[in-house]
Amino acid sequence: MTPLAWLLGFVVLQRLAELALAQRNTRRLLARGGREVGAGHYPLFFLLHGSWLLAMALTVPWSTEPSWFLIAVFFALQGLRVWVVASLGPFWTTRIITLDDTPLVRRGPYRLLNHPNYWVVAGEIAVLPLAFGAWPIALVWSVLNALLLRHRVRVENAALAARDRSAAAMADPGRARGTTSITPRP
């Protein structure tokens, strides 16, 4: 099996396992009173990720020898992905599900930056094709991903800001009223 076949197979299996975990967490969050926000753009992620993998499978020669340095970078990103998922635990999902009475997660990578999972995915979408010299795929799908994430982050931030304000109001109703600057982290 060639490195390209092995890596594409790995990514497909990883995404399928993540979807199963995400669906389980989504069901549990909704059962606890969570609500989904921004469901309309969700199918675009399937299209983006599926077409990214398909573009690599159809255009990169299967015998292409990869840059092992970039493969190492890709696997470092996988370590960051595990850290993100573990930090969110039962709150990790591929959808935007919010529980209004639950504090935002501020541990792991979420104490360092906003939306670390999106940074990891952006890195993957660029690095994996580049490892095989497929810079057009890296460029096109990185731009498409950035456009989609721009919308998603806006939607997610609005949902999280409302939740953060709600939690602040319950903690200190007088102080929360004047709050206008929030840096939400999922």
Side-chain angles (χ1 to χ4, degrees):
M1 185 178 271
T2 68
L4 177 62
W6 188 89
L7 283 162
L8 290 179
F10 169 80
V11 173
V12 167
L13 291 176
Q14 176 192 51
R15 295 299 198 263
L16 291 173
E18 287 176 353
L19 282 174
L21 174 62
Q23 288 175 344
R24 187 186 75 195
N25 287 346
T26 295
R27 281 192 304 273
R28 289 178 177 173
L29 290 168
L30 293 174
R32 290 178 53 191
R35 60 186 168 81
E36 183 171 3
V37 179
H41 70 267
Y42 184 68
L44 296 175
F45 282 100
F46 284 96
L47 182 60
L48 179 85
H49 287 261
S51 64
W52 169 66
L53 292 170
L54 189 60
M56 288 189 58
L58 294 176
T59 65
V60 176
W62 288 93
S63 61
T64 302
E65 195 62 30
S67 160
W68 292 106
F69 171 76
L70 290 177
I71 297 299
V73 170
F74 178 79
F75 279 104
L77 289 167
Q78 302 320 295
L80 293 174
R81 176 187 288 284
V82 169
W83 189 26
V84 165
V85 173
S87 296
L88 285 178
F91 299 103
W92 185 84
T93 178
T94 54
R95 297 179 176 271
I96 303 172
I97 308 292
T98 184
L99 281 168
D100 292 333
D101 61 345
T102 305
L104 299 177
V105 172
R106 299 191 190 276
R107 66 180 173 272
Y110 292 92
R111 71 176 188 271
L112 304 173
L113 86 147
N114 291 328
H115 309 292
N117 192 63
Y118 302 152
W119 289 104
V120 169
V121 171
E124 290 173 334
I125 286 174
V127 169
L128 190 57
L130 289 174
F132 291 92
W135 66 265
I137 294 172
L139 178 64
V140 169
W141 272 264
S142 290
V143 169
L144 293 172
N145 184 56
L147 292 171
L148 185 54
L149 284 179
R150 181 175 177 224
H151 173 72
R152 183 177 177 97
V153 165
R154 222 178 295 136
V155 170
E156 189 169 331
N157 280 347
L160 295 175
R163 194 168 104 194
D164 213 21
R165 281 193 299 274
S166 173
M170 290 190 309
D172 185 1
R175 185 169 175 226
R177 213 173 299 119
T179 302
T180 58
S181 176
I182 297 174
T183 306
R185 293 190 175 140

